[in-house]
Amino acid sequence: GGARTRRRGAGRCICIGVGAQARTTATMLHHRAFVKKSKQGKVQKVVREHYLREDIACGSFKCEKCDRAVAKLEREAAEYVVIDTNVGLQSIDFLENEAVDNVIVPSTVLQETKKNNLSVYNRLRNLCAAKDRKFYVFSNENHRDTYVTAAEGESPNDRNDRAIRVTALWYMKEVPGTRILLLTNDAENRRRAKSEGILAASTREYAEARKATNPMLVDLVVASSVGDSNMDIGAEGGRNSKRQRIYEEHKLMSDITVGLKQGRLHQGTLRVNMYNPFEGYVSSESMEEEILICGRANMNRAFDGDVVAVELLPEQEWRVPSRNLPSSLAVNGEDRSVAEEEHDEGGLEEEVGAGVAQINPGEDYGGAPITTDSSGRHPCGRVVGIIKRNWRTRGYCGSLRPIAKEKLQMGMISCLFVPVERKFPIIRIATRQAAQLMDQRILVSIDTWEVDSLYPSGHYVRALGPIGDKDTETEVLIIENDINTAPFSVEVHACVPALPWSVSNDDLSDPNRQDLRHLSICSVDPPGCKDIDDALHCRKLDNGNLEIGVHIADVTHFLKPSTAMDEEAALRSTTVYLVQRRIDMLPKPLTEDICSLRAGVDRLAFSVLWEMTPHAEIVKFDVTKSIISSKAALTYAEAQSRIDDRRLHDEVTESLREMNRIARILRQRRADAGALSLASPEVKFELDTETHDPLDVGMYQVRETNQMVEEMMLLANITVAKQIEAAFPSCAVLRRHPTPTPKMFESLIKACNAVGISLDPSTSKTLAISLDTAVKPDDAFFNKMVRIMATRCLTQAVYFRSGDVSKEEYRHYGLATPIYTHFTSPIRRYADVLVHRLLMAAIGLRILPDNMTDRSRMKAIVDNMNYRHRNAQMAGRASVGLHTLIFFKDRPTVADARIIRVRTNGLIVFVPKFGIEGPVYFHSNSEEKGGDGKVQFALDDQTQVARSLDGSLRFQVFDTVTVSIRVEESQGHRRKLVLALCQGENKTGQPMTMG
């Protein structure tokens, strides 16, 4: 046949033949047989055809026989590097360094990497696709001369290693005169390669050979490779060759499987207390209660997020949960041998600081909600095996612990790296750059954690910038929360219409799109909002009823399924809002211009229109694509001012007034049905227009117009949820809020009971009634405080696919509605994009995309939406925390605080003025160590009262105290807000002189 070129994607181009340069095509059919187990448990032999060719290009510009259009390996290079699977999997940071180039990636390596770690696989693929890097994927599994079959008795790993060595030998013949180096950290693979005449080296040896020109490369060598070089790591934090085993060996997977079946072991995900890294919890389906894991020894090298196998400790070793705030002198249940070693090496955690008040459910200084037996003890266990590791491929942010100056001059030394998140342990790394990195935030990856090592071992990846610099610390919180800030690709931008854009004649003549430009529509948003998703209107009809409209940006008109922009939006899933910046889900031309419902311009919308009686009874509703022209883009304050100013009677103002009246009725109706009215400790900053540094901070003011807009959006979301679920009962994208378990409210119920307030969380309605009656006539802030505390007792709301849970589980507990979804923010949430597509199909405008009926694909998308939504919340909160630290750095302040939890060694307080929550210790570490003259306290857990033994001090939950607020920096460069009780009196009139 005729010669042709076939391309297999960026970075994986394969030459099938081009003109005179093409080789003679020769194809050989090979059969591959393997055994497959079906879902029913049947074992079947599967035979597949595997075609082998000899016309696959080598990718080198030196080769005269291959198509150079697909070549990436440089003609001038003296050496080409062939990597094996362990380098691809374990040394991706090393490979991403620009000093490593002219690399051949056998397809065997790509396949095995994809099978073992999808995140690393994607990074390796991107590296191969990058136009400025010389990485070439060679399809050795499809080349007649490099494909190998497994020998009798040969393991799959040995077969793959041999296939990679065969590839190296083939390149030695294909490009003679060029040195071919096999890069492998497997000592046996290196030995075999050398016996076959192949030049082989470890990443360590490769880096050492280039140390003079690229000293940073040595730092990127994974810790497991460091041992190959026989380097003496005798500096701080290094492993002592005489050190005995610290941790127990993990059980084999076969033993874990047997233990799980027999009920001796329990499987679950470890959650480490974010305020006490020596305490964790494992929830297992085989146990009603959560299992408490106390101390590093019992955690046994497990990380937060690891899926672990846990063995219960004997009942006599079960513990009463600690009533102390976490501190370096009160490590709950820490194994003495491990604790003492950490203390000797200075690794023990310091007292925790304050931070932005919790805005997410399920987080508390006291750890997870706990259930105890009749004796008050809690089931405890120890980790005996790791079923699935959760080490971050993106790495961990933090800084090096300061070490003596003389050690900084010793060349390659071992240092202790302190992660910014205290739930992760200290990590040991080896570096030649310790002196330069001491004042830097850096990124570190974990490589291994051996049984004889107090800390996990890792390697340096890159520096992020100076510690304390706002941009650096923002980069840290972005990485820590896995936020994608990469620029949109050319392919994504190609999906966006060119600017300036305007509504076309085709849009105007579209019979499926109503022209609503005559209506008095307006938007109401926070100040400075540019990505305006929604607009509203209300008008009186001739029959005396009202027409209310919610108009949502028609994003799906531009965001087509299965395009580059759609795939990118699905990956990002949400726009992330930080204090000083916004990280968009979609390109700015769409978010701020084409889709944004700005005032005075025609825009495409998806509208929900209701006809209501004056008493807010819905007569009928309609859903339609539309064209609108917003008459005003208002802030909440501006809209409130219009409503309140009785001199104004223009159409927009009258529309807002009538809508606000209807919203009050709808809100009361939801409250009567049991919807919760909770409070948030959200804060706002006044920023310097040039530096963007905070000038002032305070609690966010919620106006009635906020509630009005919220009510209209809720109505739209509920209406659309019913419609898409009726049309697509098995694949509608919905949002549910699971009913919280009674134990989640235990601490709040106890606190309220202590001050004579009764709380009944059995249903959302009983809880709503309880919250309404939780008032103290002499304390105006008390009710809001209880509502803030109730928020964290709830579960997280999540996205789900209707066919995956029963209808009873659709319910949204907080909103007291049987069904709910997100429709109103498609500019910033991918869930809303999916809902728009479902709604279009439901009303007959479009056919539902095929991928939305693919259960496994949709599960992955929905899981990612939940993950990204959660991360965006955490990143936003971290940004507020960062700016709070910046604000208080040079502003020591005194403010009133409310006690929300009482402990034996201190209090948890909330500072309403600044939205800060944190611990107040009765005594500092130095006072604890000194011991002379300090006041001792006793805790009455039932009444939530801490009393000094001499009777001079008494603190009870909900009391008001005065605290000082200042910023401190710990040894590990963790900056923290420190709250301390001020001398004076609490509300009972008792003096508060500590110490």
Side-chain angles (χ1 to χ4, degrees):
R4 60 194 176 92
T5 300
R6 182 180 175 192
R7 301 181 186 276
R8 299 191 178 184
R12 295 199 296 150
C13 299
I14 297 173
C15 174
I16 302 299
V18 178
Q21 293 181 348
R23 305 183 188 189
T24 304
T25 302
T27 305
M28 183 173 71
L29 177 64
H30 181 78
H31 291 90
R32 299 177 65 183
F34 58 93
V35 175
K36 181 180 180 182
K37 190 174 183 180
S38 69
K39 292 181 178 179
Q40 290 74 31
K42 294 182 179 179
V43 177
Q44 300 173 321
K45 183 178 181 180
V46 180
V47 179
R48 287 184 179 167
E49 295 179 345
H50 185 69
Y51 289 91
L52 302 178
R53 309 178 67 94
E54 64 174 12
D55 54 357
I56 296 173
C58 67
S60 172
F61 281 104
K62 298 182 181 184
C63 184
E64 300 294 334
K65 297 174 289 185
C66 294
D67 178 20
R68 293 180 183 173
V70 300
K72 297 193 77 176
L73 305 173
E74 293 174 313
R75 177 186 293 275
E76 300 79 13
E79 178 182 84
Y80 292 162
V81 177
V82 179
I83 65 168
D84 75 348
T85 303
N86 65 42
V87 170
L89 271 171
Q90 300 171 9
S91 301
I92 187 65
D93 297 318
F94 181 89
L95 295 175
E96 287 175 336
N97 188 278
E98 293 181 356
V100 183
D101 238 337
N102 288 297
V103 175
I104 298 157
V105 182
S107 57
T108 304
V109 173
L110 266 187
Q111 292 167 10
E112 290 302 303
T113 303
K114 185 177 183 180
K115 189 187 303 182
N116 286 279
N117 192 317
L118 192 59
S119 177
V120 171
Y121 166 75
N122 288 329
R123 288 171 68 181
L124 188 56
R125 279 286 307 271
N126 291 338
L127 196 55
C128 295
K131 294 179 181 179
D132 60 337
R133 299 302 301 274
K134 311 304 177 187
F135 277 66
Y136 181 76
V137 178
F138 176 66
S139 296
N140 66 303
E141 296 290 353
N142 295 94
H143 198 292
R144 191 177 68 177
D145 296 339
T146 56
Y147 177 77
V148 300
T149 56
E152 187 175 350
E154 186 177 39
S155 70
N157 283 343
D158 287 343
R159 179 264 170 202
N160 290 341
D161 286 344
R162 183 161 60 88
I164 293 165
R165 294 197 301 273
V166 168
T167 298
L169 285 168
W170 182 83
Y171 266 94
M172 290 168 66
K173 298 174 184 176
E174 188 72 7
V175 281
T178 302
R179 190 167 72 157
I180 305 299
L181 175 68
L182 175 62
L183 198 62
T184 173
N185 289 327
D186 185 332
E188 177 60 20
N189 199 20
R190 290 201 301 275
R191 186 193 66 76
R192 292 187 181 187
K194 291 174 182 177
S195 71
E196 296 168 6
I198 303 169
L199 188 65
S202 67
T203 51
R204 180 80 192 167
E205 292 164 339
Y206 183 90
E208 287 285 355
R210 290 152 181 79
K211 184 168 57 179
T213 54
N214 296 286
M216 281 183 57
L217 202 56
V218 180
D219 287 7
L220 296 171
V221 175
V222 297
S224 57
S225 306
V226 173
D228 292 342
S229 67
N230 299 316
M231 182 189 68
D232 179 23
I233 308 180
E236 179 171 357
R239 183 185 304 162
N240 188 329
S241 60
K242 296 182 181 179
R243 177 175 286 171
Q244 296 180 350
R245 187 176 68 183
I246 299 172
Y247 300 102
E248 293 296 320
E249 293 280 4
H250 290 145
K251 290 183 180 295
L252 298 175
M253 197 61 218
S254 56
D255 295 333
I256 291 174
T257 303
V258 172
L260 292 172
K261 287 183 178 178
Q262 294 177 347
R264 293 185 290 105
L265 302 181
H266 307 275
Q267 177 179 330
T269 301
L270 176 67
R271 293 179 295 111
V272 178
N273 187 329
M274 64 189 298
Y275 302 106
N276 183 357
F278 305 103
E279 182 179 84
Y281 299 85
V282 174
S283 296
S284 176
E285 293 181 359
S286 58
M287 288 279 293
E288 289 185 8
E289 308 97 333
E290 287 192 313
I291 303 169
L292 178 64
I293 312 293
C294 295
R296 288 264 191 254
N298 286 330
M299 286 187 187
N300 195 10
R301 297 169 288 146
F303 259 61
D304 180 75
D306 284 352
V307 180
V308 298
V310 175
E311 180 180 65
L312 286 179
L313 297 176
E315 287 195 30
Q316 59 266 28
E317 295 183 35
W318 291 8
R319 300 168 182 247
V320 175
S322 173
R323 295 176 178 178
N324 282 342
L325 296 174
S327 76
S328 60
L329 300 173
V331 180
N332 181 20
E334 181 59 75
D335 179 81
R336 184 167 178 78
S337 61
V338 177
E340 285 180 348
E341 289 200 58
E342 291 212 8
H343 183 68
D344 291 342
E345 299 200 31
L348 206 62
E349 299 296 321
E350 72 281 352
E351 291 176 343
V352 299
V356 179
Q358 312 304 318
I359 56 173
N360 295 313
E363 297 172 5
D364 208 338
Y365 283 84
I370 51 177
T371 301
T372 58
D373 64 10
S374 57
S375 66
R377 295 177 304 169
H378 189 73
C380 294
R382 64 187 184 97
V383 174
V384 297
I386 307 295
I387 297 171
K388 184 179 179 182
R389 275 291 187 196
N390 191 44
W391 288 347
R392 292 179 183 167
T393 56
R394 68 183 184 273
Y396 300 82
C397 299
S399 53
L400 298 181
R401 227 195 70 191
I403 58 178
K405 288 184 179 180
E406 56 270 18
K407 291 184 178 180
L408 296 176
Q409 313 304 320
M410 294 173 61
M412 176 70 80
I413 63 172
S414 183
C415 303
L416 295 180
F417 166 85
V418 183
V420 293
E421 286 197 42
R422 65 179 63 251
K423 64 182 177 181
F424 300 120
I426 287 170
I427 302 166
R428 181 193 299 112
I429 68 167
T431 178
R432 295 177 180 274
Q433 306 176 73
Q436 291 84 7
L437 297 178
M438 276 298 158
D439 65 345
Q440 298 282 303
R441 290 280 183 222
I442 63 174
L443 190 66
V444 162
S445 279
I446 296 175
D447 303 320
T448 184
W449 196 346
E450 304 296 343
V451 293
D452 63 345
S453 176
L454 186 60
Y455 307 114
S457 297
H459 64 271
Y460 163 82
V461 177
R462 63 186 173 98
L464 303 174
I467 294 170
D469 176 75
K470 185 175 59 181
D471 292 338
T472 299
E473 301 298 346
T474 298
E475 178 71 7
V476 166
L477 70 88
I478 284 171
I479 294 171
E480 285 295 303
N481 292 288
D482 196 15
I483 306 299
N484 183 2
T485 58
F488 290 105
S489 67
V490 174
E491 292 78 12
V492 170
H493 280 293
C495 300
V496 180
L499 294 178
W501 178 89
S502 61
V503 173
S504 68
N505 289 330
D506 289 341
D507 296 323
L508 291 169
S509 59
D510 184 350
N512 294 315
R513 194 176 290 278
Q514 286 191 41
D515 189 346
L516 304 179
R517 290 177 292 175
H518 60 286
L519 297 176
S520 296
I521 295 170
C522 69
S523 61
V524 185
D525 292 285
C529 181
K530 295 180 180 178
D531 52 340
I532 303 174
D533 278 296
D534 56 88
L536 313 153
H537 89 274
C538 178
R539 65 169 177 164
K540 291 183 179 179
L541 301 176
D542 293 341
N543 62 4
N545 287 340
L546 301 171
E547 179 187 79
I548 289 183
V550 169
H551 313 276
I552 307 301
D554 190 5
V555 173
T556 52
H557 181 80
F558 308 96
L559 184 59
K560 306 298 184 185
S562 302
T563 59
M565 185 162 64
D566 185 50
E567 291 174 1
E568 183 68 23
L571 287 173
R572 299 192 183 214
S573 283
T574 182
T575 293
V576 181
Y577 293 90
L578 306 181
V579 171
Q580 82 284 27
R581 64 184 287 201
R582 188 184 77 228
I583 303 164
D584 289 315
M585 181 183 80
L586 295 169
K588 272 188 171 55
L590 272 183
T591 62
E592 294 187 358
D593 191 334
I594 297 170
C595 290
S596 184
L597 304 182
R598 299 181 298 145
V601 292
D602 295 349
R603 287 292 177 259
L604 304 182
F606 211 156
S607 300
V608 184
L609 307 171
W610 298 269
E611 182 179 338
M612 293 186 187
T613 68
H615 302 292
E617 300 292 342
I618 297 175
V619 178
K620 62 179 181 179
F621 74 92
D622 185 27
V623 178
T624 180
K625 289 293 187 82
S626 63
I627 302 173
I628 69 168
S629 180
S630 174
K631 301 301 184 286
L634 306 173
T635 66
Y636 290 115
E638 289 169 345
Q640 190 69 56
S641 177
R642 283 192 179 222
I643 292 172
D644 296 340
D645 189 345
R646 290 298 166 183
R647 296 170 299 174
L648 297 179
H649 298 284
D650 58 277
E651 288 187 350
V652 169
T653 301
E654 290 296 340
S655 172
L656 288 169
R657 283 199 188 107
E658 195 63 19
M659 201 180 326
N660 193 43
R661 185 186 66 80
I662 292 293
R664 288 183 191 137
I665 298 173
L666 294 175
R667 185 161 59 252
Q668 185 58 52
R669 193 173 293 160
R670 285 194 310 105
D672 294 342
L676 299 178
S677 177
L678 300 173
S680 166
E682 187 177 352
V683 300
K684 66 172 183 177
F685 290 91
E686 179 187 339
L687 299 180
D688 186 290
T689 54
E690 294 184 2
T691 65
H692 298 290
D693 286 339
L695 300 176
D696 197 9
V697 59
M699 291 286 285
Y700 183 78
Q701 182 182 355
V702 177
R703 295 177 170 84
E704 194 175 24
T705 44
N706 293 77
Q707 297 175 326
M708 176 191 74
V709 172
E710 178 187 20
E711 212 58 49
M712 294 300 121
M713 298 304 112
L714 291 175
L715 180 62
N717 288 333
I718 293 169
T719 300
V720 170
K722 292 175 181 177
Q723 188 146 356
I724 62 173
E725 196 276 335
F728 302 103
S730 63
C731 63
V733 175
L734 303 173
R735 188 164 176 82
R736 67 192 181 99
H737 186 203
T739 301
T741 59
K743 69 178 182 180
M744 293 179 175
F745 282 91
E746 283 180 358
S747 61
L748 180 58
I749 290 173
K750 186 183 293 184
C752 288
N753 287 344
V755 293
I757 299 294
S758 177
L759 213 61
D760 180 6
S762 53
T763 68
S764 62
K765 186 166 186 176
T766 59
L767 178 59
I769 294 170
S770 297
L771 291 174
D772 287 342
T773 57
V775 294
K776 298 178 77 175
D778 59 341
D779 189 348
F781 190 74
F782 178 80
N783 184 260
K784 184 172 183 179
M785 190 72 254
V786 174
R787 291 181 189 274
I788 289 173
M789 294 171 67
T791 303
R792 73 196 59 188
C793 298
L794 304 175
T795 55
Q796 280 276 348
V798 292
Y799 297 111
F800 71 103
R801 191 168 172 265
S802 57
D804 294 342
V805 300
S806 65
K807 282 206 171 188
E808 291 74 23
E809 295 178 271
Y810 288 9
R811 186 169 182 80
H812 196 293
Y813 176 85
L815 298 175
T817 180
I819 192 168
Y820 190 66
T821 194
H822 274 164
F823 162 75
T824 54
S825 296
I827 287 178
R828 60 184 179 91
R829 289 190 306 232
Y830 191 70
D832 304 56
V833 171
L834 297 178
V835 169
H836 278 229
R837 289 174 182 162
L838 285 160
L839 188 58
M840 283 191 290
I843 62 177
L845 296 182
R846 299 266 181 89
I847 297 174
L848 193 66
D850 291 338
N851 64 354
M852 293 198 68
T853 57
D854 184 329
R855 183 173 182 177
S856 61
R857 178 169 170 76
M858 282 304 298
K859 183 183 185 306
I861 290 174
V862 169
D863 287 347
N864 185 61
M865 290 190 310
N866 285 321
Y867 172 74
R868 297 293 171 187
H869 180 78
R870 165 77 171 173
N871 285 7
Q873 284 184 316
M874 298 301 291
R877 198 180 96 191
S879 180
V880 171
L882 168 61
H883 284 76
T884 302
L885 280 170
I886 294 171
F887 177 77
F888 284 109
K889 184 174 182 294
D890 299 312
R891 295 183 179 92
T893 305
V894 173
D896 284 342
R898 303 298 292 260
I899 299 174
I900 59 175
R901 187 75 64 86
V902 182
R903 288 289 183 258
T904 306
N905 61 337
L907 313 167
I908 306 291
V909 301
F910 171 67
V911 185
K913 184 177 180 181
F914 302 114
I916 296 168
E917 176 183 330
V920 174
Y921 292 87
F922 290 145
H923 309 288
S924 67
N925 283 347
S926 59
E927 288 175 322
E928 287 283 359
K929 292 173 182 175
D932 295 332
K934 68 179 185 296
V935 181
Q936 298 293 333
F937 283 83
L939 173 65
D940 184 336
D941 201 39
Q942 201 63 34
T943 60
Q944 287 285 286
V945 172
R947 290 185 179 86
S948 61
L949 297 185
D950 63 5
S952 62
L953 292 168
R954 177 184 181 276
F955 299 100
Q956 185 173 20
V957 68
F958 297 117
D959 278 358
T960 299
V961 293
T962 304
V963 297
S964 63
I965 307 169
R966 69 183 189 278
V967 175
E968 283 186 2
E969 188 169 293
S970 68
Q971 252 199 337
H973 297 298
R974 284 192 183 124
R975 290 187 304 161
K976 61 183 181 181
L977 279 180
V978 176
L979 305 182
L981 287 169
C982 296
Q983 293 188 358
E985 296 183 348
N986 64 8
K987 74 170 195 173
T988 61
Q990 295 174 322
M992 298 191 302
T993 304
M994 309 302 300

